[in-house]
Amino acid sequence: MKFEGTATYVATADLQLAVNAAVILQRPLLVKGEPGTGKTLLAEELAQAFGARLITWHIKSTTKAQQGLYEYDAVSRLRDSQLGMEKVHDVANYIRKGKLWEAFEAEERVVLLIDEIDKADIEFPNDLLQELDRMEFHVYETGETIRARHRPIILITSNNEKELPDAFLRRCFFHYIAFPDQETLKRIVDVHFPGISQSLVNEALEIFFDIRKVPSLKKKPSTSELVDWLKLLMADEIGEAVLRERDPRKAIPPLAGALVKSEQDVQLLERLAFMTRRGRH
């Protein structure tokens, strides 16, 4: 089976090739791109396309690689021993399985998403090298070795907040999701809003790309924010005529809070509007 996108996810030809190559090579697929370009959603759609269960491991700045394997709760065991509880004699009662363990012991092939790996410490990716290579790990407290029954399809996302180690990169198939062009965005919009007025979409996209082109913008609006904005425009019945008649002297378009997400960027657009007004006098 090959991944070709789904009815609810527009996958470019390059992305389809990357996904299928990673599956054939049995390597993790490392996906980078701007926030909001559908990296996390890709895992959900991939699981749907392959009829597989999705296991998601959301990475935080405090996440350690060991947590993906298992955690040993020594404190609870000590407390239970002080209380004289019978279960204290079996250390397995104090082992908490991590997401990799869950993926490895699954009865069928699953999709494992390691989401935003760049949020963790720089050593985090290296600490997973052996486990991802060999598809097994050792549980020291019980003496058992956990081996993958079926090699999971592994998708790793990164927002490029920090560089990943070369040794880790060598073991991945890499794909960068470039920001969609206008035609691809139209296809994405059509998936979310079948039957939407194309003239509204055209006017909205013109404004959207104008904002993205503003120099020094702290955060450019993303695909997901465009979808949110269009949803609001339709809910408030703001048609293409309103967008078409936009006054360049005004700071931001209607409901732009869905697109512009920082005070710094709002002030930047307001300064540009002020300069436009002065230039017309």
Side-chain angles (χ1 to χ4, degrees):
M1 181 183 293
K2 289 188 175 181
F3 179 69
E4 298 177 343
T6 68
T8 56
Y9 188 89
V10 176
T12 62
D14 287 347
L15 179 56
Q16 293 177 36
L17 285 172
V19 169
N20 293 319
V23 172
I24 291 171
L25 293 173
Q26 296 187 329
R27 289 185 178 273
L29 174 61
L30 173 62
V31 180
K32 291 187 179 183
E34 288 184 30
T37 49
K39 299 186 297 297
T40 302
L41 184 58
L42 172 61
E44 299 174 11
E45 299 299 328
L46 186 57
Q48 178 185 326
F50 287 155
R53 179 162 62 98
L54 175 64
I55 297 175
T56 302
W57 185 14
H58 293 294
I59 307 303
K60 302 177 181 178
S61 60
T62 56
T63 304
K64 301 299 180 186
Q66 181 64 33
Q67 294 172 303
L69 308 179
Y70 69 92
E71 292 182 275
Y72 169 52
D73 192 352
V75 174
S76 292
R77 192 182 188 195
L78 175 61
R79 183 183 63 243
D80 289 348
S81 69
Q82 292 171 339
L83 295 173
M85 300 184 70
E86 186 64 28
K87 71 174 187 176
V88 76
H89 300 295
D90 185 357
V91 69
N93 290 323
Y94 302 93
I95 300 291
R96 289 201 295 264
K97 298 177 181 179
K99 297 296 184 179
L100 264 71
W101 189 328
E102 184 181 346
F104 284 6
E105 73 172 1
E107 296 288 348
E108 70 292 326
R109 183 175 67 168
V110 300
V111 174
L112 173 63
L113 169 63
I114 303 178
D115 200 25
E116 298 190 332
I117 194 171
D118 53 323
K119 286 189 178 300
D121 183 84
I122 189 62
E123 290 303 319
F124 178 92
N126 282 336
D127 291 343
L128 288 176
L129 288 180
Q130 181 171 318
E131 289 75 16
L132 295 180
D133 259 356
R134 299 184 180 180
M135 285 286 125
E136 66 178 38
F137 62 89
H138 189 69
V139 183
Y140 296 97
E141 289 77 7
T142 63
E144 61 183 321
T145 297
I146 306 300
R147 295 183 177 88
R149 295 180 180 178
H150 305 277
R151 180 179 285 269
I153 299 171
I154 301 176
L155 178 66
I156 302 171
T157 70
S158 169
N159 288 327
N160 230 7
E161 291 184 7
K162 64 168 68 80
E163 288 297 320
L164 298 174
D166 289 344
F168 180 79
L169 294 175
R170 283 197 300 272
R171 288 165 170 81
C172 298
F173 190 93
F174 172 77
H175 181 72
Y176 182 84
I177 298 183
F179 193 81
D181 59 22
Q182 189 154 331
E183 286 307 312
T184 303
L185 276 179
K186 283 184 178 180
R187 290 169 56 201
I188 293 171
V189 169
D190 286 342
V191 164
H192 287 274
F193 309 112
I196 189 174
S197 164
Q198 290 305 304
S199 54
L200 172 62
V201 174
N202 290 336
E203 292 298 330
L205 283 177
E206 187 175 334
I207 294 174
F208 176 77
F209 278 109
D210 282 347
I211 293 177
R212 281 186 58 87
K213 291 175 185 175
V214 172
S216 303
L217 204 64
K218 183 178 180 181
K219 184 191 178 304
K220 295 180 180 180
S222 68
T223 306
S224 61
E225 288 156 347
L226 170 66
V227 171
D228 288 345
W229 186 46
L230 282 168
K231 185 176 182 179
L232 289 174
L233 291 177
M234 291 189 296
D236 283 15
E237 298 182 347
I238 296 176
E240 61 269 22
V242 175
L243 299 182
R244 191 180 303 117
E245 294 170 2
R246 61 188 184 277
D247 186 342
R249 295 173 299 175
K250 293 180 180 179
I252 52 179
L255 300 170
L259 299 175
V260 184
K261 298 298 180 72
S262 75
E263 181 181 359
Q264 174 183 319
D265 286 345
V266 170
Q267 291 173 347
L268 174 60
L269 293 176
E270 288 173 343
R271 285 197 301 272
L272 291 174
F274 175 74
M275 291 169 64
T276 301
R277 287 194 296 271
R278 290 201 57 177
R280 286 174 172 248
H281 290 304

